[in-house]
Amino acid sequence: MNHRSNSHLWLLVSIVLSGVCLGNAQVPFPGKCPDVQLLDSFDAEAYMGIWYEYSAYPNTFELGQECVYANYSIVDSSTVSVVNGGISGVTGQATNATAIAKVLGPGQLAVAFYEGQSLTNANYLVLGTDYESYAVVYSCTSITQWANIKFAWILTRERQPSAETIDVAKKILDDNKVSQEYLSKTVQQNCPQL
Ligand SMILES: *[C@@H]1O[C@H](CO)[C@@H](O)[C@H](O)[C@H]1NC(C)=O
Ligand SMILES: *[C@@H]1O[C@H](CO)[C@@H](O)[C@H](O)[C@H]1NC(C)=O
């Protein structure tokens, strides 16, 4: 387990919990979290395996990381193990962080990055996936009555997905009124083969 990434995660969680906002590394929005369309059904098993991060909202835990991927694997019927990996754009070092997730509902996961973190709040929502090429993941936390912090990710099975695949993913963001303005493309060039 990478301690540096973990301290980033811990920092993020503390910031969210204390209702203070770093400003530069997360995207704060006015108001409470808006409603999004949840999935009716979700095949957790088909969702497992490697996903590459095509683009994402800025977040402290992945700052400056390239070649970012997630590896999900089933632990038991409701538990998923998560490894987030990447390469530091600064040092070129491979880093990773592990987490555990509970499937709370169709496409609704609670991801915990540290021991004892509550697994009752769906902080990872799959807004859409075909399991084979793309997944659109969203997270929103109300930090006060007047502000929320959002994260969004487009994940793809290939490091270099087709334009058609990305169009489908972006349409899902549009359908849910999730802004694409803050999505920044993740470097997936010259990456180590997994
Ligand atoms: C995670 O990083 C550690 C070193 O920090 C390494 O030993 C381990 O193999 C890595 N795990 C994966 C899945 O890449
Ligand atoms: C992904 O996780 C599975 C289950 O732990 C493991 O067998 C596999 O080697 C991992 N793949 C990579 C590329 O780390």
Side-chain angles (χ1 to χ4, degrees):
M1 195 174 279
N2 184 293
H3 291 284
R4 208 157 148 258
S5 317
N6 275 337
S7 63
H8 283 317
L9 294 172
W10 175 244
L11 176 68
L12 168 79
V13 168
S14 320
I15 289 161
V16 170
L17 291 182
S18 63
V20 182
C21 191
L22 256 190
N24 63 338
Q26 283 118 46
V27 186
F29 290 83
K32 282 188 277 189
C33 287
D35 289 334
V36 289
Q37 283 169 255
L38 300 173
L39 296 182
D40 294 327
S41 64
F42 181 66
D43 183 347
E45 216 155 311
Y47 192 73
M48 297 298 103
I50 303 282
W51 288 101
Y52 298 106
E53 183 185 86
Y54 175 80
S55 63
Y57 276 32
N59 56 64
T60 41
F61 41 91
E62 285 172 4
L63 222 51
Q65 288 227 61
E66 301 181 351
C67 306
V68 177
Y69 71 91
N71 186 6
Y72 302 125
S73 47
I74 297 267
V75 176
D76 63 41
S77 61
S78 70
T79 314
V80 171
S81 121
V82 178
V83 176
N84 290 323
I87 304 287
S88 160
V90 180
T91 64
Q93 288 272 341
T95 63
N96 64 62
T98 54
I100 200 86
K102 286 276 174 197
V103 182
L104 302 179
Q108 298 152 50
L109 281 75
V111 183
F113 297 102
Y114 61 91
E115 198 103 14
Q117 185 178 354
S118 154
L119 280 164
T120 53
N121 177 31
N123 58 3
Y124 178 118
L125 302 177
V126 181
L127 298 183
T129 182
D130 66 352
Y131 305 100
E132 289 175 352
S133 55
Y134 71 87
V136 175
V137 179
Y138 171 82
S139 183
C140 184
T141 307
S142 295
I143 52 173
T144 73
Q145 218 177 322
W146 304 283
N148 66 77
I149 286 179
K150 289 188 180 75
F151 300 106
W153 293 264
I154 294 177
L155 306 177
T156 54
R157 290 295 194 187
E158 291 180 86
R159 279 201 202 269
Q160 313 292 343
S162 70
E164 289 77 16
T165 294
I166 297 308
D167 285 347
V168 176
K170 287 183 170 173
K171 176 150 192 316
I172 292 167
L173 290 171
D174 281 346
D175 290 347
N176 283 283
K177 299 190 171 62
V178 178
S179 171
Q180 291 175 32
E181 196 180 324
Y182 307 97
L183 279 178
S184 89
K185 206 156 171 271
T186 306
V187 174
Q188 294 285 3
Q189 256 99 32
N190 305 314
C191 294
Q193 187 128 28
L194 292 184

